[in-house]
Amino acid sequence: MSFTSLGQLFGVLAFLVAIYSFTQKSDIKLKISLIVMFSFQTAHFFFLGSVTGTIANFLNFFRTIISVKTNHKFIGIVFIAINIVWGAFNVNRLIDVCPIFGACFGTYAIFYASGIRMRQLFICGAVFWLANNIYLDSVGGILLEVSVIVANTITIYRLRSDH
């Protein structure tokens, strides 16, 4: 199996976990399933040869684990700063900024928002990741981000209906 095929396989696995993740009304269930999704996405981008995608998802993986244990705002600032600093040294073309922006939106969502606002920010981040995945011809990644946008939109509607 080629690296590209293996990368696409991990992308599809991440997509399947994402469908479950972003339909969760519980923030903690969402975060726990995101940990699994980010582990698959890290492998996905590694095998596709995307340095910024790999590093951003690796940081997202650890960021989300930490966010389950604590919600200190300072940690959010640290992860956003790490994303910006490593990103500044690894951007080789314009598309490389998309994972950085996507990761920053996700970090802000995880540490500074909850409920509907968290999901709105995930949608913003998904737009950047979608652009990146279209550029990489990532089948699983494109499906994942479209699903993130659709599932979060539906979940926002469900949360609004609960009020």
Side-chain angles (χ1 to χ4, degrees):
M1 182 177 274
S2 72
F3 271 12
T4 302
S5 297
L6 195 54
Q8 296 291 3
L9 174 66
F10 277 111
V12 170
L13 291 172
F15 159 66
L16 294 173
V17 174
I19 291 171
Y20 172 80
S21 298
F22 288 106
T23 58
Q24 298 305 304
K25 289 166 74 175
S26 162
D27 290 354
I28 192 70
K29 285 182 183 178
L30 169 64
K31 289 178 182 183
I32 290 171
S33 58
L34 284 176
I35 293 166
V36 175
M37 185 193 76
F38 287 130
S39 67
F40 288 146
Q41 277 192 296
T42 300
H44 167 71
F45 287 114
F46 173 79
F47 287 115
L48 290 183
S50 171
V51 174
T52 55
T54 301
I55 294 170
N57 274 283
F58 186 70
L59 288 170
N60 288 344
F61 172 79
F62 284 106
R63 168 207 75 198
T64 308
I65 290 172
I66 291 169
S67 78
V68 170
K69 303 278 186 198
T70 183
N71 203 22
H72 289 150
K73 306 297 185 213
F74 175 75
I75 295 172
I77 292 169
V78 168
F79 273 100
I80 289 171
I82 290 170
N83 273 294
I84 291 169
V85 169
W86 75 259
F89 291 104
N90 288 290
V91 171
N92 295 314
R93 46 188 191 240
L94 186 58
I95 195 67
D96 291 337
V97 301
C98 287
I100 298 162
F101 285 144
C104 287
F105 269 103
T107 300
Y108 190 86
I110 290 279
F111 285 99
Y112 298 95
S114 63
I116 291 171
R117 184 73 178 137
M118 179 193 299
R119 285 149 182 88
Q120 290 170 330
L121 290 163
F122 282 143
I123 290 170
C124 292
V127 171
F128 286 104
W129 281 108
L130 180 60
N132 181 70
N133 293 339
I134 290 169
Y135 177 82
L136 291 174
D137 292 325
S138 165
V139 175
I142 292 167
L143 291 172
L144 188 151
E145 299 307 334
V146 169
S147 296
V148 167
I149 293 166
V150 170
N152 275 298
T153 301
I154 292 168
T155 304
I156 288 167
Y157 174 78
R158 290 171 56 214
L159 288 168
R160 284 190 175 140
S161 295
D162 288 349
H163 290 99

